[in-house]
Amino acid sequence: MPVLNPTVSTQITGTTSPTFAGARDATSGTAVAASTRYATAIQYQFLASARANQISINRYFIEFDTSDISVTPADAELSLYGFTNGGADFFAVKATFSDGTIANGDFDAIDGWSAGSDNSSNVTKYSSEVTSWSTGGYNNITLTSDALSDMVSEDNFKICLIQSGNDLANVDAVAVVQTGISNTNSLRLSYTEGATGFGHKTIGVAAGSIGKINAVATANIGKVIGVD
């Protein structure tokens, strides 16, 4: 089973705002310098105060080089090593930041994102909701068919990990939920290679349409270089 490591990955810390919309619908944040651990990689934090509320949101972005994948994988798994916090439920969704770099302006670089909306049905989900988290081991996330399709169609496979109940769903509520990720134990994307169908077609021509190979009737050939 092939295993890929990220080309880039980091947390983008959103702007702290006294309003939910100001924090959640911001178009930029601060891309954190490369680190070995991100204690609040995924975060929704609403601290209520008589003087002024403080809302802050973090999202985590990852890119893998999938340019060598030429056939849709049979399945794939994103593995993330947990660290410190595990309270933020989240989805892995399709991201749209520029190839090879994660910048401050990529806070909302999410496919289908619309400010002020419940984006639960707008985004392209690469996973089911992640609702349990180990803070001292690998967390393995099975990827969806949309993810498998994009792994073969795009040279750079990009993911955003986004808190589900408030951030993605556009639900304003007092809460503090955080999930941490360790890069000391590297992130990884593993997949099962899809069937190539080489035994059924030769250069795109169905086997049933080929009468002979090098003047030998196909009925007399059991295998071609070990392929049925």
Side-chain angles (χ1 to χ4, degrees):
M1 175 179 287
V3 177
L4 302 176
N5 295 120
T7 50
V8 290
S9 65
T10 197
Q11 168 188 317
I12 297 184
T13 303
T15 302
T16 299
S17 172
T19 68
F20 174 76
R24 190 259 187 178
D25 295 329
T27 58
S28 65
T30 302
V32 177
S35 174
T36 57
R37 292 172 176 172
Y38 301 84
T40 58
I42 308 160
Q43 173 178 276
Y44 172 78
Q45 179 172 271
F46 188 137
L47 301 176
S49 170
R51 179 175 295 181
N53 295 332
Q54 289 188 328
I55 300 98
S56 59
I57 291 171
N58 299 343
R59 299 168 184 160
Y60 198 81
F61 294 82
I62 314 168
E63 178 191 80
F64 294 93
D65 180 353
T66 52
S67 59
D68 288 338
I69 299 177
S70 59
V71 177
T72 302
D75 54 65
E77 192 171 74
L78 176 66
S79 297
L80 307 168
Y81 202 94
F83 173 66
T84 302
N85 298 305
D89 297 342
F90 66 92
F91 283 97
V93 303
K94 181 176 182 175
T96 58
F97 55 88
S98 298
D99 294 349
T101 182
I102 300 169
N104 294 344
D106 292 325
F107 186 67
D108 64 344
I110 298 169
D111 184 59
W113 186 262
S114 177
S117 301
D118 177 355
N119 286 305
S120 300
S121 299
N122 295 338
V123 299
T124 301
K125 291 178 179 174
Y126 281 165
S127 74
S128 299
E129 185 177 21
V130 178
T131 58
S132 62
W133 192 254
S134 168
T135 58
Y138 271 106
N139 299 273
N140 300 316
I141 302 168
T142 300
L143 300 188
T144 64
S145 59
D146 284 330
L148 302 180
S149 177
D150 285 347
M151 285 173 65
V152 70
S153 66
E154 300 184 6
D155 289 342
N156 296 284
F157 180 62
K158 301 167 187 175
I159 301 169
C160 173
L161 307 181
I162 183 169
Q163 190 265 348
S164 52
N166 306 96
D167 188 6
L168 182 61
N170 196 38
V171 174
D172 181 353
V174 176
V176 177
V177 288
Q178 301 164 326
T179 288
I181 294 172
S182 172
N183 272 351
T184 302
N185 297 280
S186 186
L187 312 183
R188 60 195 186 196
L189 175 65
S190 56
Y191 62 97
T192 302
E193 294 176 304
T196 61
F198 287 155
H200 301 285
K201 291 188 178 183
T202 302
I203 318 177
V205 181
S209 301
I210 301 173
K212 294 183 178 181
I213 299 176
N214 286 347
V216 180
T218 53
N220 297 323
I221 300 175
K223 293 186 178 182
V224 177
I225 316 178
V227 180
D228 291 331

